[in-house]
Amino acid sequence: MDFKDNKAIYLQISDYVFEHILLGRWQAAEKIPSVRELAAALEVNPNTVARTYELLQNQQIIQNKRGVGFFVTNDAIAKTRAIRRQEFMDKELPVFFRTIYLLDIDIEQLKHLYENFVNTTFQHENK
């Protein structure tokens, strides 16, 4: 995973988990990688993943079954989508709107580009 300098690594790992849940790679009630497993896979300190998992537990996206591991909660998709939607609306959308305004980009052109993106990028993924 390539980490960016403008956002804390544990939050970027949270986004990674969110994406896995939203794309259906990790299903409700499914066991997810342990802290050590995910840390090794992403080449980060286990404490960083532990911080991510603590955040996700507080958001009720994952739950810890003591002695067994971490699992995706039953309503993780809805909660993840709500969290990511609000974050997008608050942080990313205003920047996007400003850019399309400044560049005088037509909304219909964006709609066409968006539809093409979805069709080519997610044709084999679950929504």
Side-chain angles (χ1 to χ4, degrees), residues 13-85:
I13 296 170
S14 174
D15 290 342
Y16 171 88
V17 172
F18 284 167
E19 186 170 310
H20 275 67
I21 291 169
L22 291 175
L23 291 174
R25 293 179 183 148
W26 294 351
Q27 302 287 322
E30 182 178 319
K31 187 173 192 263
I32 63 173
S34 70
V35 168
R36 291 179 196 265
E37 290 168 342
L38 190 58
L42 299 178
E43 300 177 349
V44 297
N45 188 306
N47 291 331
T48 305
V49 175
R51 187 172 181 191
T52 300
Y53 279 14
E54 182 179 342
L55 171 68
L56 295 172
Q57 285 180 88
N58 290 338
Q59 295 172 328
Q60 300 176 336
I61 304 298
I62 63 172
Q63 62 185 10
N64 185 4
K65 294 184 181 178
R66 193 172 299 274
V68 181
F70 290 94
F71 292 79
V72 177
T73 61
N74 288 331
D75 57 351
I77 290 176
K79 287 184 179 191
T80 297
R81 190 167 280 137
I83 291 166
R84 286 292 293 133
R85 182 178 289 131

Side-chain angles (χ1 to χ4, degrees), residues 99-117:
T99 302
I100 63 171
Y101 173 78
L102 291 172
L103 299 178
D104 195 27
I105 298 173
D106 181 61
I107 294 294
E108 287 303 315
Q109 180 184 10
L110 282 178
K111 183 179 176 187
H112 178 72
L113 292 170
Y114 170 76
E115 289 168 352
N116 283 340
F117 172 79

Side-chain angles (χ1 to χ4, degrees), residues 113-125:
L113 292 170
Y114 170 76
E115 289 168 352
N116 283 340
F117 172 79
V118 169
N119 289 334
T120 58
T121 305
F122 298 110
Q123 62 186 350
H124 299 294
E125 300 279 351

